[in-house]
Amino acid sequence: DSGVTQTPKHLITATGQRVTLRCSPRSGDLSVYWYQQSLDQGLQFLIQYYNGEERAKGNILERFSAQQFPDLHSELNLSSLELGDSALYFCASSVVVGGTWETQYFGPGTRLLVL
Amino acid sequence: DQQVKQNSPSLSVQEGRISILNCDYTNSMFDYFLWYKKYPAEGPTFLISISSIKDKNEDGRFTVFLNKSAKHLSLHIVPSQPGDSAVYFCAAMTTSGTYKYIFGTGTRLKVLA
């Protein structure tokens, strides 16, 4: 158990719909990352938040948005869903080790299926 | 622009032998490198890391080698065990300047009993 929680575990929805994925980081971790893993694909970095502010942005579609709230939990909003958005969505939080490098702790993921 | 590449999508190794997983990067600003391991239906977990000021870091059966001039790192697992069968991701980060933390596409390792 990494200490990072994600809800829901599974989500089935239809094309055109909108969903919200939720992530609670490990206690004390200020950074939250969102990744997408499609079938047989690597981890595609979407976006990172640090203490409520966007810190880095990856290949996140305009239909997707995220935010981090004052209690540090984060939500990833996916709208106008397409079949190709079906994937495993991971959230991770990180701790800075020795003041320099970070190791990320991943949640169990949310499996999204768009029909 | 894939800044961190794992060119072998899969690798099969006999139990007890050495597994060597490779990773190449293009951005010379990366100064810290990590390996993560992922089992099916779970999130990746941190395995081992190395700073750019070193060329080798060892932790039990796992050793990571870094060749900065070639912008190449590798993970050696000796001896390989069936429980090592998983997908391995390398990651590279910057610890100063513009923040970057990039994962490779992963290599699926299968250790055959």
Side-chain angles (χ1 to χ4, degrees), chain A residues 33 35 48 101-104, chain B residues 32 36 46 99 101 103:
Chain A
Y33 306 76
Y35 293 89
Q48 182 206 2
W101 63 282
E102 299 177 37
T103 182
Q104 295 188 21
Chain B
Y32 212 94
Y36 287 78
F46 170 71
Y99 180 82
Y101 200 121
F103 279 83

Side-chain angles (χ1 to χ4, degrees), chain A residues 101-114:
Chain A
W101 63 282
E102 299 177 37
T103 182
Q104 295 188 21
Y105 292 86
F106 283 79
T110 293
R111 186 172 294 279
L112 173 67
L113 180 60
V114 182

Side-chain angles (χ1 to χ4, degrees), chain A residues 25-93:
Chain A
R26 294 184 340 142
S27 177
D29 287 357
L30 301 179
S31 273
V32 169
Y33 306 76
W34 285 99
Y35 293 89
Q36 179 193 58
Q37 186 182 25
S38 302
L39 193 64
D40 289 334
Q41 297 283 318
L43 287 169
Q44 184 91 335
F45 169 64
L46 296 178
I47 198 163
Q48 182 206 2
Y49 279 83
Y50 179 82
N51 203 21
E53 298 204 359
E54 183 183 305
R55 188 180 189 189
K57 211 166 184 174
N59 297 324
I60 187 166
L61 299 172
E62 284 192 15
R63 301 183 285 110
F64 296 1
S65 64
Q67 53 184 329
Q68 186 179 28
F69 295 87
D71 67 352
L72 300 178
H73 92 270
S74 178
E75 292 180 356
L76 178 67
N77 299 296
L78 315 176
S79 62
S80 303
L81 284 167
E82 302 176 359
L83 296 178
D85 297 327
S86 297
L88 201 50
Y89 291 84
F90 287 105
C91 166
S93 69

